[in-house]
């Protein structure tokens, strides 16, 4: 077990607006791409989620009490601009000022993302990130927030560009539910990178007293066996989900090697990528201006070469072993014997975190300081009784192993300055609903009461080891 944390380590919990706030129809909020979609699907409702909109003071106090010195939150674009653009909605602006104030007063520093999977419905209907106008709407929204919320000193533009594009256009489990629409998936990545870069360039030109970066989830891809074919499959899929975005963010160009892998995928899938004049200059300018890098890490994957048809099954229910993923001309995801998995088939592989931290530090020095902005275990926690702490040893093991991997990379020179567990409290999961719990604090979604899990106590014990 990890024995102690470094001095001044950022030790936080993560949330996202749509997953915790609830109150989706309150105080002038506009619809996101999720509202009608979830209603039509009828599986679960984003209301009231963890009712953070009303209960944030309690959650921030709990954070402080259990030793967390930071919290990741996101601003719901549609609380500020209900349609994504136009006049700001003052009730939304007021809400976030109050939230940030409460965090700061309690010694829980807010790290704030501007976009966490919750595109405004109006803009979603106009093509979302595939529409280049979306980039400008986003930058306007970002500019408003930078100038308005000057109490925020730690910004992230967009959360997990790859998860959004992969879930929307490849796996098909986020609206608009396309399957293996490779053109849209790669184009959305490029356009989101542009939006990020423009927002960073703008932020830096404003000379505000704060820091900015973005968040990528990184998923190391390993060949299941070291044959040349499997190694090539791993290189291809890695380029598609990690390298293209890392290059675009921190090199400000897609390297020749990256593009040759990407082009191979595009050719095999009759897809194309549109890069316009000037795009790369924007990325280049931003590439050295990020102050830090938010890295989310949950799992690594193992792959074998595959030329059959694309197809996937998404495990959104927690029925272990029900998922599959095969990408034509890229590879097929397989299980590695001996690597444990969660009920949702996510590999538990802390070595992957160590490997990817080392790689990012070596290959992308412009990433500068790294924060692990999400890591955690989705688990079917069981409530026992009002006065009994919820036992979640598997979560403690998971976090402990990953923090150990992080500290190992740090001891070898990787500049990692913080860790945010996903998630602070139990919350709504986009494609899994409410039985996939991640929190340090258990939420009874009927009563909205919070209960302490053992992992929260463990988190507090480690926080207490930190030299202040
Ligand atoms: C990340 C997202 C989060 C969160 C987490 C867990 O991809 O940034 O929003 O949901 O993964 O994923 P899931 O809820 O699908 O288990």
């Amino acid at each position: 077990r990890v024995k102690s944390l470094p001095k001044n380590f950022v030790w936080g919990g993560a949330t996202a607006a749509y997953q915790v706030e609830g109150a989706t129809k309150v105080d002038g909020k506009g619809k996101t791409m999720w509202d009608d979609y979830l209603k039509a699907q009828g599986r679960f409702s984003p209301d009231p989620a963890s009712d953070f909109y009303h209960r944030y003071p309690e959650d921030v106090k709990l954070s402080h009490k259990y030793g967390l010195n930071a919290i990741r939150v996101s601003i719901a674009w549609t609380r500020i601009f209900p349609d994504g653009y136009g006049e700001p909605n003052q009730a939304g602006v007021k809400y976030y000022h109050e939230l940030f104030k409460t965090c700061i007063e309690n010694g829980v520093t807010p790290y704030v993302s501007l976009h966490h999977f919750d595109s405004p419905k109006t803009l979603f209907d106009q093509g979302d990130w595939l529409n280049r106008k979306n980039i400008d709407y986003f930058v306007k929204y970002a500019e408003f927030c930078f100038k308005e919320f000057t109490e925020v000193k730690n910004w992230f533009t967009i959360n997990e560009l790859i998860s959004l594009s992969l879930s929307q256009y490849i796996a098909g489990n986020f609206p608009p539910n396309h399957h293996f629409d490779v053109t849209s998936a790669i184009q959305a990545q490029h356009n989101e990178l542009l939006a990020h870069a423009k927002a960073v360039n703008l932020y830096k030109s404003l000379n505000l007293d704060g820091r900015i970066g973005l968040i990528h989830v990184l998923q190391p891809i390993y060949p299941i066996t070291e044959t040349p074919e499997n190694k090539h499959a791993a290189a291809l899929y890695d380029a598609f989900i990690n390298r293209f975005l890392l290059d675009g963010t921190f090199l400000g160009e897609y390297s020749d090697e990256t593009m040759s892998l990407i082009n191979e995928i595009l050719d095999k899938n009759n897809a194309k990528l549109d890069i316009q004049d000037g795009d790369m200059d924007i990325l280049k300018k931003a590439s050295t201006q990020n102050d830090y890098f938010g890295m989310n890490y949950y799992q690594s994957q193992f792959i074998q070469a595959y030329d059959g048809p694309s197809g996937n099954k998404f495990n959104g229910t927690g029925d272990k072993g029900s998922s599959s993923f095969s990408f034509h001309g890229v590879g097929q995801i397989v299980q590695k014997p001996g690597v444990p998995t969660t009920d949702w088939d996510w590999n538990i592989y802390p070595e992957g975190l160590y490997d990817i931290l080392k790689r990012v530090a070596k290959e992308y020095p412009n990433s500068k300081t790294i924060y692990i902005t999400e890591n955690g275990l989705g688990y079917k926690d069981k409530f026992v009784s009002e006065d009994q702490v919820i036992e979640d040893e598997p979560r403690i093991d998971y976090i402990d192993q990953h923090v150990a991997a992080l500290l190992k990379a740090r001891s070898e020179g990787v500049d990692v300055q913080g860790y945010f567990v996903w998630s602070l409290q139990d919350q709504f999961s986009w494609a899994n609903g409410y039985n996939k719990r991640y929190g340090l604090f258990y939420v009874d979604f009927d009563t909205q009461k919070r209960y302490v899990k053992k992992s929260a106590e463990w988190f507090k014990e480690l926080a207490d080891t930190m030299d202040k």
Side-chain angles (χ1 to χ4, degrees):
R1 285 263 158 109
V2 171
K3 297 216 168 44
S4 66
L5 294 177
K7 197 176 170 179
N8 295 327
F9 200 62
V10 171
W11 190 231
T15 71
Y18 203 71
Q19 296 182 266
V20 292
E21 288 177 359
T24 61
K25 298 184 185 70
V26 169
D27 288 343
K29 185 183 191 298
K31 281 184 184 173
T32 70
M33 70 183 200
W34 291 95
D35 298 45
D36 294 349
Y37 165 79
L38 289 173
K39 199 165 170 200
Q41 199 189 44
R43 267 182 82 203
F44 28 72
S45 160
D47 267 313
S50 329
D51 196 25
F52 189 72
Y53 193 72
H54 301 106
R55 288 170 202 261
Y56 69 84
E58 185 182 344
D59 288 347
V60 171
K61 285 194 182 100
L62 272 176
S63 301
H64 176 69
K65 185 170 171 201
Y66 283 85
L68 283 72
N69 55 25
I71 182 172
R72 250 193 85 200
V73 295
S74 75
I75 295 178
W77 187 344
T78 51
R79 285 200 197 282
I80 308 296
F81 295 107
D83 288 317
Y85 49 78
E87 288 304 307
N89 168 36
Q90 290 310 326
V93 174
K94 184 163 167 264
Y95 166 69
Y96 288 107
H97 277 306
E98 286 168 359
L99 167 62
F100 301 145
K101 182 162 177 267
T102 305
C103 295
I104 294 162
E105 280 174 2
N106 283 279
V108 180
T109 306
Y111 283 68
V112 181
S113 338
L114 290 165
H115 187 281
H116 194 127
F117 301 169
D118 54 350
S119 298
K121 164 93 169 112
T122 310
L123 299 183
F124 176 76
D125 289 344
Q126 295 173 25
D128 206 2
W129 291 110
L130 298 177
N131 175 3
R132 286 182 64 112
K133 274 199 195 150
N134 211 61
I135 299 169
D136 300 322
Y137 294 135
F138 176 76
V139 176
K140 285 218 168 83
Y141 154 61
E143 180 173 15
F144 175 85
C145 292
F146 296 154
K147 291 179 174 165
E148 176 70 35
F149 301 112
T150 50
E151 65 273 42
V152 173
K153 306 296 181 198
N154 301 284
W155 289 103
F156 294 110
T157 53
I158 306 178
N159 174 72
E160 293 195 359
L161 295 68
I162 189 59
S163 301
L164 186 62
S165 93
L166 215 64
S167 305
Q168 290 189 300
Y169 303 117
I170 298 287
N173 53 314
F174 280 16
N177 310 99
H178 294 188
H179 288 269
F180 296 93
D181 171 355
V182 179
T183 297
S184 298
I186 198 80
Q187 195 64 49
Q189 292 192 46
H190 175 70
N191 292 1
E192 285 179 65
L193 278 177
L194 274 175
H196 157 74
K198 281 192 164 183
V200 166
N201 294 340
L202 170 80
Y203 186 77
K204 287 293 157 184
S205 75
L206 296 172
N207 280 315
L208 292 163
D209 154 37
R211 304 185 295 169
I212 191 161
L214 91 174
I215 294 174
H216 290 311
V217 63
L218 296 180
Q219 219 176 84
I221 306 298
Y222 300 95
I224 187 70
T225 58
E226 297 286 323
T227 63
E229 295 78 16
N230 291 342
K231 279 160 93 172
H232 187 59
L236 286 169
Y237 196 46
D238 172 69
F240 197 74
I241 65 167
N242 300 314
R243 195 167 167 177
F244 182 78
L245 289 168
L246 287 168
D247 279 13
T249 310
F250 299 118
L251 304 181
E253 64 186 29
Y254 306 123
S255 73
D256 291 345
E257 211 182 313
T258 301
M259 275 326 290
S260 108
L261 293 162
I262 292 290
N263 284 330
E264 184 179 333
I265 299 172
L266 299 184
D267 289 348
K268 284 181 174 156
N269 289 275
N270 298 321
K272 60 178 181 14
L273 164 67
D274 175 29
I275 299 179
Q276 298 191 2
D277 281 353
D279 285 2
M280 299 318 287
D281 297 334
I282 295 166
L283 296 191
K284 196 68 180 179
K285 182 166 178 204
S287 64
T288 53
Q289 301 213 76
N290 294 284
D291 295 296
Y292 49 47
F293 171 40
M295 182 196 292
N296 293 353
Y297 176 84
Y298 288 91
Q299 62 161 334
S300 301
Q301 289 194 313
F302 302 90
I303 200 164
Q304 67 188 17
Y306 178 80
D307 263 322
S310 293
N312 75 299
K313 284 204 190 84
F314 175 71
N315 172 356
T317 48
D319 295 322
K320 206 168 179 152
S322 62
S323 61
S324 64
F325 186 85
S326 314
F327 193 166
H328 172 72
V330 179
Q332 184 168 50
I333 299 299
V334 286
Q335 246 349 95
K336 172 134 174 144
V339 173
T341 57
T342 73
D343 285 344
W344 288 264
D345 304 328
W346 292 23
N347 292 313
I348 301 180
Y349 198 68
E351 297 91 318
L353 175 58
Y354 168 81
D355 288 350
I356 197 77
L357 280 167
K358 297 281 281 192
R359 174 178 166 199
V360 168
K362 181 163 174 257
E363 294 176 15
Y364 300 97
N366 285 335
S367 59
K368 299 174 190 157
T369 297
I370 301 173
Y371 294 88
I372 298 304
T373 36
E374 282 182 35
N375 172 251
L377 177 71
Y379 186 65
K380 296 169 189 162
D381 291 89
K382 295 270 176 304
F383 179 79
V384 189
S385 75
E386 282 286 325
D387 45 15
Q388 239 173 299
V389 169
I390 290 150
E391 302 278 343
D392 60 344
E393 274 298 335
R395 178 169 295 109
I396 298 176
D397 285 344
Y398 181 98
I399 302 173
D400 180 65
Q401 291 173 43
H402 287 81
V403 173
L406 172 170
L407 292 176
K408 182 170 175 229
R410 190 181 142 110
S411 73
E412 294 169 16
V414 180
D415 181 22
V416 199
Q417 298 289 352
Y419 176 93
F420 291 80
V421 67
W422 185 269
S423 50
L424 177 62
Q425 70 292 69
D426 291 338
Q427 38 187 272
F428 164 70
S429 164
W430 310 97
N432 308 284
Y434 290 97
N435 78 333
K436 192 178 190 186
R437 294 172 179 269
Y438 280 93
L440 296 180
F441 303 104
Y442 183 96
V443 176
D444 176 330
F445 291 107
D446 294 326
T447 63
Q448 288 297 334
K449 267 188 86 169
R450 272 65 171 152
Y451 299 91
V452 174
K453 296 186 195 175
K454 209 166 167 197
S455 55
E457 296 181 335
W458 177 87
F459 222 75
K460 162 83 175 134
E461 279 165 30
L462 262 187
D464 288 343
T465 66
M466 213 191 297
D467 270 347
K468 304 246 163 40

